[in-house]
């Protein structure tokens, strides 16, 4: 369902003894991989509702003495994420080092295979570069050795915590760095 649908079922969930709700990704996404390809960490995917719907769900969940946990992916972003788009449009941008770009020498930088099959590298001939994706071709891996990535991700996480989210389930966290 959507966020309003969950909100409507909170009394029933509480009656069942539920004390925490865990949301699969509801962030804005092109939905190439069920929302795990996040386009904007601070927006809600239209099919789930609005940020106002999310805020209402969070408020009513807490009123019922329950907690709200969100699924969060910080190993990669969608190739439609603002950071990746800036990395593509300006090779001198600070965002270029947010991802793993390698010079195009005519073949993939190595023989790594994506978990979704095929090479783990997307070729960008206009950039004379390859970029790494361990999962879907639309899920570009973040470079966790870059302190700016860490700072921006921590800022985003704190933004959700400041809204009142009770915690996160970190998807593929074992693949960062």
């Amino acid at each position: 369902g959507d966020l309003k649908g969950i909100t409507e079922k909170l009394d029933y969930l509480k009656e069942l003894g539920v004390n925490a709700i865990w949301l699969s990704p509801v962030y804005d996404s092109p939905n190439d991989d069920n929302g795990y390809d996040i386009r904007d960490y601070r927006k809600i995917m239209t099919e789930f509702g609005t940020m106002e719907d999310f805020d209402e769900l969070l408020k009513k969940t807490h009123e019922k003495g329950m907690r709200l946990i969100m699924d969060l992916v910080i190993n990669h972003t969608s190739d439609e994420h603002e950071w990746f788009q800036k990395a593509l449009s300006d090779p001198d941008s600070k965002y270029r080092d947010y991802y793993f770009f390698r010079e195009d020498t005519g073949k993939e930088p190595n023989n790594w295979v994506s978990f979704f099959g095929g090479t783990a590298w997307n070729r960008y001939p206009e950039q004379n570069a390859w970029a790494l994706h361990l999962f879907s071709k639309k899920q570009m891996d973040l470079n966790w050795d870059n302190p700016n990535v860490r700072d921006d991700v921590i800022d985003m996480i704190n933004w959700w915590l400041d809204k009142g989210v009770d915690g996160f389930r970190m998807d593929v966290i074992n693949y960062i760095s």
Side-chain angles (χ1 to χ4, degrees):
D2 59 16
L3 296 173
K4 285 184 177 182
I6 298 168
T7 303
E8 290 172 6
K9 300 292 185 211
L10 287 176
D11 286 331
Y12 175 67
L13 294 170
K14 181 71 175 174
E15 186 179 305
L16 291 174
V18 171
N19 60 13
I21 296 170
W22 166 17
L23 296 179
S24 293
V26 295
Y27 315 94
D28 180 48
S29 167
N31 217 11
D32 183 61
D33 182 28
N34 299 307
Y36 288 89
D37 50 320
I38 299 171
R39 179 172 36 218
D40 190 331
Y41 288 102
R42 292 184 169 128
K43 288 186 178 175
I44 299 296
M45 191 184 323
T46 305
E47 69 187 69
F48 293 122
T50 65
M51 188 59 75
E52 291 76 21
D53 297 333
F54 177 86
D55 292 340
E56 182 72 8
L57 170 62
L58 182 62
K59 177 181 170 240
K60 290 193 172 181
T61 298
H62 286 159
E63 285 173 359
K64 304 223 177 283
M66 297 187 286
R67 296 178 183 241
L68 186 74
I69 299 166
M70 297 181 72
D71 222 327
L72 183 60
V73 187
I74 57 173
N75 174 71
H76 51 259
T77 69
S78 167
D79 64 350
E80 296 180 26
H81 191 284
E82 177 185 27
W83 299 341
F84 192 74
Q85 290 299 304
K86 287 181 177 180
L88 280 180
S89 67
D90 181 4
D92 296 322
S93 161
K94 77 171 192 170
Y95 296 102
R96 187 67 164 215
D97 193 43
Y98 273 44
Y99 299 90
F100 295 95
F101 281 91
R102 299 296 180 264
E103 184 180 348
D104 186 358
T105 60
K107 63 179 184 167
E108 292 93 346
N110 59 35
N111 66 351
W112 292 1
V113 176
S114 163
F115 287 97
F116 284 41
T119 181
W121 295 94
N122 284 350
R123 186 169 182 240
Y124 297 92
E126 66 284 355
Q127 297 285 325
N128 193 37
W130 294 87
L132 180 68
H133 66 87
L134 292 178
F135 295 90
S136 157
K137 290 179 182 281
K138 291 188 66 64
Q139 294 170 308
M140 308 313 297
D141 281 55
L142 287 166
N143 175 9
W144 275 85
D145 290 333
N146 181 334
N148 292 322
V149 169
R150 294 171 186 249
D151 291 345
D152 281 349
V153 169
I154 289 168
D155 182 62
M156 174 270 299
I157 289 171
N158 284 330
W159 185 83
W160 283 103
L161 292 172
D162 290 345
K163 279 182 99 43
V165 169
D166 297 294
F168 301 95
R169 180 254 176 197
M170 306 300 282
D171 186 67
V172 298
I173 194 68
N174 52 318
Y175 288 100
I176 66 171
S177 290

